[in-house]
Amino acid sequence: MEKVKLLVATTNKGKLKEIVRILAPLGFEVVKPPHKLEVEETGETFLENAYLKAKAYYEEFGLPSLADDSGLVIEALGGYPGVYSSRFYSLEIGGRESPEPTESEANIRKVLRLMEGEENRRAKFVAFVVLYWEDKGLMAQGECEGEILKEKRGEKGFGYDPIFKPSGMDRSMAELEPEEKDKLSHRGRALRRLASLIEPLSSRLP
Ligand code: IMP
């Protein structure tokens, strides 16, 4: 496959690192945005938000743009934090947490608090990825099922990784090596699917 150049429509460091790590070995040239773009995530679904971000980055920078919208879906919380994963701590629903020492820590604190005494720990990570260029779009989705731990474990990864244990593993997502996470993660699955959709179209990309 000819090397396809993609702009990653995110400035989330955790996501950026993983997207580059997953796509570079598949033959993509992954470019980071020259500056951050504020895109209001007004969609009610991961897919809508991924589409909004990919389109906004394409319109600003003129390169085929790849956006990831993802989050943690917890059964006992009726699907929350879901599309609100990155700012769950600040939502009125479930009670606010102050973003100390980081927003990620506050999000984790809130989930652990809401899940205290809850026996149903089932949850999944979901990722929707969209590639947008000209007036065209491709999308793919990936999921990773697992459960919410009662306390944090591990230092790797980002976001909710320390409190999520993928099904069939005896370690949290934050205890997995990066390659182990990529193999089973929602993002790894979605991006590999997207890559297989891009391949036959690669000669038609700018
Ligand atoms: P987005 O930028 O609106 O897509 O926010 C995604 C949020 O979901 C992140 O800020 C994290 O809190 C969470 N998230 C998504 N993917 C992962 C992951 O792979 N590990 C841990 N948390 C994740």
Coordinates of all heavy atoms in Angstrom, one line a residue, residues 18-19 21-22 68 70 124-127 141-145 158 161 164 166 169 173 176-193:
E18 N -1.3 6.4 21.2 CA -1.8 5.1 20.8 C -2.1 5.1 19.3 O -1.9 4.1 18.6 CB -3.1 4.7 21.6 CG -2.7 4.5 23.1 CD -3.9 3.9 23.9 OE1 -5.0 3.6 23.3 OE2 -3.7 3.8 25.1
I19 N -2.7 6.1 18.8 CA -3.1 6.1 17.4 C -1.8 6.0 16.5 O -1.8 5.2 15.6 CB -3.9 7.4 17.0 CG1 -5.3 7.3 17.7 CG2 -4.1 7.5 15.5 CD1 -6.1 8.6 17.6
R21 N 1.1 4.8 17.5 CA 1.6 3.4 17.8 C 0.9 2.3 17.0 O 1.5 1.4 16.5 CB 1.5 3.2 19.2 CG 2.3 2.1 19.8 CD 2.2 2.2 21.3 NE 1.0 1.7 21.9 CZ 0.5 2.1 23.1 NH1 1.1 3.0 23.8 NH2 -0.7 1.6 23.5
I22 N -0.4 2.5 16.8 CA -1.2 1.4 16.1 C -1.1 1.6 14.6 O -0.9 0.6 13.8 CB -2.7 1.5 16.5 CG1 -2.8 1.1 18.0 CG2 -3.5 0.5 15.7 CD1 -4.1 1.5 18.7
D68 N -11.0 10.2 16.8 CA -11.4 9.1 17.6 C -12.4 9.7 18.7 O -12.0 10.7 19.3 CB -10.2 8.5 18.3 CG -10.4 7.7 19.6 OD1 -11.2 8.2 20.5 OD2 -9.8 6.7 19.7
S70 N -14.3 8.3 22.0 CA -14.3 7.0 22.8 C -14.8 7.3 24.2 O -14.8 8.4 24.6 CB -13.0 6.4 22.7 OG -12.0 7.4 23.0
K124 N -17.7 -1.5 29.4 CA -16.9 -1.7 28.1 C -16.4 -0.3 27.7 O -17.0 0.7 28.0 CB -17.7 -2.3 27.0 CG -18.9 -1.5 26.6 CD -19.8 -2.3 25.5 CE -21.0 -1.5 25.2 NZ -21.9 -2.1 24.2
F125 N -15.2 -0.4 27.1 CA -14.7 0.8 26.4 C -15.2 0.7 25.0 O -15.2 -0.4 24.3 CB -13.1 0.7 26.3 CG -12.5 1.3 27.5 CD1 -11.5 0.6 28.3 CD2 -12.7 2.7 27.9 CE1 -10.9 1.2 29.3 CE2 -12.0 3.2 29.0 CZ -11.1 2.5 29.7
V126 N -15.6 1.9 24.4 CA -16.1 1.9 23.0 C -15.3 3.0 22.3 O -15.0 4.1 22.9 CB -17.6 2.3 23.0 CG1 -18.1 2.5 21.6 CG2 -18.4 1.3 23.8
A127 N -14.9 2.7 21.1 CA -14.3 3.8 20.2 C -14.9 3.8 18.9 O -15.2 2.7 18.3 CB -12.8 3.5 20.1
Q141 N -15.7 1.0 14.2 CA -16.0 1.0 15.7 C -15.3 -0.2 16.3 O -15.0 -1.2 15.7 CB -17.5 0.8 15.8 CG -18.0 0.8 17.2 CD -18.6 -0.6 17.6 OE1 -18.3 -1.6 16.9 NE2 -19.4 -0.6 18.6
G142 N -14.9 -0.1 17.6 CA -14.3 -1.2 18.3 C -14.8 -1.1 19.8 O -15.0 -0.1 20.3
E143 N -14.8 -2.3 20.4 CA -15.2 -2.4 21.8 C -14.3 -3.3 22.5 O -13.7 -4.2 21.9 CB -16.6 -3.0 21.9 CG -17.7 -2.1 21.4 CD -19.1 -2.5 21.7 OE1 -19.3 -3.6 22.3 OE2 -20.1 -1.8 21.4
C144 N -14.2 -3.0 23.8 CA -13.4 -3.9 24.7 C -14.2 -4.1 26.0 O -14.5 -3.2 26.7 CB -12.0 -3.3 25.0 SG -11.1 -4.2 26.2
E145 N -14.6 -5.4 26.2 CA -15.5 -5.6 27.4 C -14.6 -6.0 28.6 O -13.5 -6.5 28.5 CB -16.4 -6.8 27.1 CG -17.3 -6.4 26.0 CD -18.6 -7.3 25.9 OE1 -18.6 -8.3 26.6 OE2 -19.5 -6.8 25.2
F158 N -3.8 5.6 30.0 CA -4.3 6.9 30.4 C -5.8 6.8 30.8 O -6.3 5.7 30.8 CB -4.1 7.9 29.2 CG -5.1 7.6 28.1 CD1 -6.2 8.4 27.9 CD2 -4.7 6.7 27.2 CE1 -7.1 8.1 26.8 CE2 -5.6 6.4 26.1 CZ -6.8 7.1 25.9
D161 N -7.9 3.7 32.5 CA -7.2 2.4 32.4 C -7.0 1.8 33.8 O -7.1 0.5 33.9 CB -5.9 2.6 31.7 CG -6.1 2.6 30.2 OD1 -7.2 2.3 29.7 OD2 -5.2 3.0 29.4
F164 N -10.0 -0.4 35.0 CA -10.7 -1.2 34.1 C -9.9 -2.5 33.8 O -8.8 -2.5 33.5 CB -10.9 -0.5 32.7 CG -11.7 -1.3 31.7 CD1 -13.1 -1.3 31.7 CD2 -11.0 -2.1 30.8 CE1 -13.8 -2.0 30.7 CE2 -11.7 -2.8 29.8 CZ -13.1 -2.8 29.8
P166 N -9.9 -5.8 31.5 CA -10.5 -6.4 30.3 C -10.9 -7.9 30.6 O -10.1 -8.5 31.4 CB -9.4 -6.4 29.3 CG -8.4 -5.4 29.8 CD -8.5 -5.4 31.2
M169 N -8.5 -11.2 31.4 CA -7.1 -10.8 31.8 C -7.1 -10.7 33.3 O -8.2 -10.5 34.0 CB -6.8 -9.4 31.3 CG -6.8 -9.2 29.8 SD -5.6 -10.2 28.9 CE -4.1 -9.3 29.1
M173 N -6.1 -2.6 32.7 CA -5.6 -2.0 31.4 C -4.3 -1.2 31.6 O -3.4 -1.2 30.8 CB -6.7 -1.1 30.9 CG -6.6 -0.8 29.4 SD -7.2 -2.2 28.4 CE -8.4 -1.4 27.4
L176 N -1.1 -3.5 31.6 CA -0.7 -4.1 30.4 C 0.4 -3.4 29.7 O 0.4 -2.1 29.8 CB -1.9 -4.2 29.4 CG -3.2 -5.0 29.9 CD1 -4.2 -5.0 28.8 CD2 -2.8 -6.4 30.4
E177 N 1.2 -4.1 29.0 CA 2.2 -3.5 28.1 C 1.5 -2.8 27.0 O 0.4 -3.3 26.6 CB 3.2 -4.5 27.6 CG 4.1 -5.2 28.6 CD 4.9 -4.2 29.5 OE1 5.3 -3.1 29.0 OE2 5.0 -4.4 30.7
P178 N 2.0 -1.7 26.4 CA 1.3 -1.0 25.3 C 0.9 -1.9 24.2 O -0.3 -1.8 23.7 CB 2.4 0.0 24.8 CG 3.3 0.2 25.9 CD 3.3 -1.1 26.7
E179 N 1.7 -2.9 23.8 CA 1.3 -3.8 22.7 C 0.2 -4.7 23.1 O -0.7 -5.1 22.3 CB 2.5 -4.7 22.2 CG 3.8 -4.0 22.0 CD 4.5 -3.6 23.3 OE1 4.7 -4.5 24.1 OE2 4.8 -2.4 23.5
E180 N 0.1 -5.1 24.4 CA -1.0 -5.9 24.9 C -2.3 -5.1 24.8 O -3.3 -5.6 24.4 CB -0.7 -6.4 26.3 CG 0.4 -7.4 26.5 CD 0.5 -7.8 28.0 OE1 0.9 -6.9 28.8 OE2 0.3 -8.9 28.3
K181 N -2.2 -3.9 25.3 CA -3.4 -3.0 25.2 C -3.9 -2.9 23.8 O -5.1 -3.1 23.5 CB -3.1 -1.7 25.9 CG -4.4 -0.8 25.8 CD -4.3 0.6 26.5 CE -5.6 1.4 26.2 NZ -5.6 2.7 26.8
D182 N -3.0 -2.6 22.9 CA -3.4 -2.3 21.5 C -4.1 -3.5 20.9 O -5.0 -3.4 20.1 CB -2.2 -1.9 20.6 CG -1.6 -0.6 21.1 OD1 -2.2 0.1 21.8 OD2 -0.4 -0.3 20.6
K183 N -3.6 -4.7 21.2 CA -4.2 -5.9 20.7 C -5.7 -6.1 21.0 O -6.5 -6.5 20.2 CB -3.4 -7.1 21.2 CG -2.8 -8.0 20.1 CD -2.2 -9.2 20.6 CE -0.7 -9.2 20.2 NZ 0.1 -10.2 20.9
L184 N -6.0 -5.7 22.3 CA -7.4 -6.0 22.7 C -8.3 -4.7 22.9 O -9.5 -4.8 23.1 CB -7.4 -6.9 24.0 CG -6.7 -6.4 25.2 CD1 -7.4 -5.3 25.9 CD2 -6.5 -7.6 26.1
S185 N -7.6 -3.6 22.7 CA -8.4 -2.3 23.1 C -9.4 -2.0 22.0 O -9.3 -2.4 20.8 CB -7.4 -1.2 23.3 OG -7.0 -0.6 22.1
H186 N -10.4 -1.2 22.5 CA -11.4 -0.7 21.6 C -10.8 0.1 20.5 O -11.2 0.0 19.3 CB -12.4 0.2 22.4 CG -11.6 1.2 23.3 ND1 -10.5 0.8 24.1 CD2 -11.8 2.5 23.5 CE1 -10.1 1.9 24.8 NE2 -10.8 2.9 24.4
R187 N -9.7 0.9 20.8 CA -9.1 1.8 19.8 C -8.3 0.9 18.8 O -8.3 1.2 17.6 CB -8.2 2.8 20.5 CG -7.5 3.8 19.6 CD -6.9 4.9 20.4 NE -8.0 5.6 21.1 CZ -8.2 5.5 22.5 NH1 -7.5 4.7 23.2 NH2 -9.3 6.1 23.0
G188 N -7.6 -0.1 19.3 CA -6.8 -1.0 18.4 C -7.8 -1.6 17.4 O -7.5 -1.7 16.2
R189 N -8.9 -2.2 17.9 CA -9.8 -2.9 17.1 C -10.4 -1.9 16.0 O -10.5 -2.2 14.8 CB -11.0 -3.5 17.9 CG -10.4 -4.6 18.7 CD -11.5 -5.3 19.5 NE -11.0 -6.6 20.0 CZ -11.2 -7.1 21.3 NH1 -12.0 -6.4 22.1 NH2 -10.6 -8.2 21.6
A190 N -10.9 -0.7 16.5 CA -11.5 0.2 15.5 C -10.5 0.7 14.5 O -10.8 0.7 13.3 CB -12.0 1.4 16.3
L191 N -9.2 1.0 14.9 CA -8.3 1.5 13.9 C -7.8 0.4 12.9 O -7.6 0.7 11.7 CB -7.0 2.0 14.6 CG -7.3 3.4 15.4 CD1 -6.0 3.7 16.2 CD2 -7.6 4.5 14.4
R192 N -7.7 -0.8 13.3 CA -7.3 -1.9 12.4 C -8.5 -2.1 11.4 O -8.2 -2.3 10.2 CB -7.0 -3.2 13.1 CG -5.6 -3.1 13.8 CD -5.1 -4.4 14.4 NE -6.0 -4.9 15.5 CZ -5.8 -4.6 16.7 NH1 -4.8 -3.8 17.1 NH2 -6.6 -5.1 17.7
R193 N -9.7 -2.0 11.8 CA -10.8 -2.1 10.9 C -10.8 -0.9 9.9 O -11.0 -1.1 8.7 CB -12.2 -2.1 11.6 CG -12.4 -3.4 12.3 CD -13.7 -3.4 13.1 NE -13.8 -4.6 13.8 CZ -14.4 -4.8 15.0 NH1 -14.9 -3.7 15.6 NH2 -14.4 -5.9 15.6

